[in-house]
Amino acid sequence: MKNYKKYRAIFFDWDGTAVLSRKAPAEEAVRAMKPLLGQGTKLVIVSGTTMENIADGEIGRYFTAQELDHLYLGLGRGAFNYAFREGSPYVFRDMLPDRDCLEKIHRICFEIHMELKKRYDFDTDIVFSRPNYCKIDLMPEALRGDNLFMQENELEILKESFRRHGIADGLKGLTELAVSIGREYGMAVKPTCDAKYLEVGISSKSDNADTIFEKIEEDISLKAQECAFWGDEFVGAEEGIYGSDSFMITGKTRGGDFFDVSDVGGERPDGVVRLGGGVERFLDFLRDQGQKE
């Protein structure tokens, strides 16, 4: 095992990093987390999902109130930032769009859908039910089932689909299209993608990472160099277009250590260490950290 230094704060993705899927049992993850929280190490779950999908919405029941004082959750692509008070979660800062803003996001995504259909006869589906963004499914025929993280062959399938439809600019072109249409509505949208999905909203995991880092920093004078950041979606779908976990790399956090447990081949952002090994690699790291003085 890699000889890791002891960290004061650990930021990590949930699906595909701490657990195999949202429906997978969370017991192994929480057993690895518990000693760290007992030591006062700050643990930060950063995920695009909502509280209901983290340990069936009951993450708090696994820990004591004292342990929960050191647990934070940044969820919903920047929308919700949770801490715990007397054992109960509360949102200490949110980035929820108002109704007018959310309706504009919906219209922007529908226009992206229509542009792709008109220009390239390229079919997409849209998930409109998220509280602060929409998911445009670029491969509606490819089902992930319970494993919602990027699959090994998805990049190649997507590239071949783009080639067949004449989409020469790839995902970079799609993100630029999203930004361009957003400007027409007076909005600075933040598109992200992981091959299957193009997600369009006004916030991202960057906002979660920065918001929670700032909150912890206020309490314990935290430095980025004292933090580790773990995920399974750093890999680039194409040059300059990286997965959702890459958005934990910000101006505030860049000095930290970043680790990728994905076995998918491809380029990662500068500074990200590809370890592979999936969920078990990450849980081994937590167990090791829990044993360090």
Side-chain angles (χ1 to χ4, degrees):
M1 177 185 291
K2 181 180 173 66
N3 185 22
Y4 306 99
K5 69 183 185 184
K6 177 67 173 177
Y7 295 96
R8 298 180 74 196
I10 302 168
F11 292 66
F12 58 96
D13 179 46
W14 187 250
D15 301 333
T17 302
V19 296
L20 185 61
S21 74
R22 292 175 185 173
K23 295 184 179 179
E27 282 75 14
E28 285 296 315
V30 298
R31 271 197 293 269
M33 294 165 63
K34 195 172 181 68
L36 286 162
L37 294 172
Q39 295 171 8
T41 302
K42 307 299 184 182
L43 298 184
V44 184
I45 298 171
V46 183
S47 174
T49 190
T50 57
M51 181 71 85
E52 292 73 21
N53 289 317
I54 305 294
D56 294 326
E58 298 184 342
I59 189 72
R61 75 178 178 87
Y62 292 98
F63 307 109
T64 67
Q66 290 75 23
E67 290 166 345
L68 288 170
D69 285 343
H70 306 291
L71 180 63
Y72 302 83
L73 296 93
L75 305 178
R77 290 183 87 252
F80 304 103
N81 297 285
Y82 293 90
F84 286 81
R85 182 187 294 124
E86 297 180 354
S88 297
Y90 71 98
V91 176
F92 66 87
R93 191 180 306 169
D94 70 54
M95 290 189 66
L96 287 173
D98 60 23
R99 180 166 181 169
D100 179 65
C101 180
L102 186 59
E103 287 178 355
K104 286 182 180 179
I105 293 171
H106 285 199
R107 292 190 181 98
I108 291 164
C109 290
F110 185 70
E111 287 203 26
I112 295 169
H113 163 83
M114 291 303 300
E115 282 295 305
L116 293 176
K117 184 65 176 175
K118 287 190 295 184
R119 291 188 196 179
Y120 308 108
D121 194 28
F122 186 83
D123 290 322
T124 62
D125 284 341
I126 308 176
V127 179
F128 287 109
S129 57
R130 300 298 186 266
N132 61 323
Y133 70 100
C134 292
K135 294 167 69 83
I136 302 174
D137 191 342
L138 304 174
M139 296 191 292
E141 71 287 350
L143 302 179
R144 286 180 171 174
D146 292 337
N147 298 327
L148 301 183
F149 48 90
M150 188 171 68
Q151 305 300 298
E152 177 73 38
N153 62 341
E154 282 183 346
L155 288 175
E156 293 307 315
I157 293 173
L158 182 65
K159 288 176 183 177
E160 174 59 22
S161 180
F162 281 172
R163 187 194 64 76
R164 290 198 313 270
H165 290 85
I167 302 177
D169 294 333
L171 286 168
K172 182 178 181 181
L174 265 62
T175 58
E176 290 174 351
L177 176 65
V179 170
S180 175
I181 294 175
R183 287 198 195 101
E184 294 175 10
Y185 284 85
M187 292 185 63
V189 299
K190 298 180 179 180
T192 63
C193 51
D194 71 345
K196 181 172 170 61
Y197 293 109
L198 174 68
E199 299 179 346
V200 181
I202 58 170
S203 58
S204 71
K205 283 186 176 183
S206 293
D207 298 288
N208 292 130
D210 279 349
T211 297
I212 297 178
F213 181 88
E214 289 168 3
K215 182 170 180 60
I216 298 173
E217 185 182 32
E218 291 172 1
D219 295 337
I220 64 170
S221 301
L222 185 68
K223 298 179 176 62
Q225 292 83 351
E226 299 171 306
C227 302
F229 300 81
W230 286 72
D232 66 296
E233 292 185 359
F234 286 100
V235 69
E238 57 188 50
E239 185 176 358
I241 304 292
Y242 296 107
S244 61
D245 290 329
S246 71
F247 285 82
M248 289 192 287
I249 307 171
T250 74
K252 293 182 181 297
T253 68
R254 190 172 298 277
D257 295 332
F258 293 82
F259 302 100
D260 187 352
V261 300
S262 173
D263 293 311
V264 175
E267 295 295 321
R268 271 75 174 168
D270 290 343
V272 175
V273 178
R274 178 188 175 187
L275 297 175
V279 170
E280 195 57 32
R281 175 70 68 121
F282 173 65
L283 297 185
D284 280 345
F285 163 76
L286 290 186
R287 296 179 191 116
D288 176 69
Q289 290 285 297
Q291 294 174 358
K292 288 183 182 291
E293 294 296 331

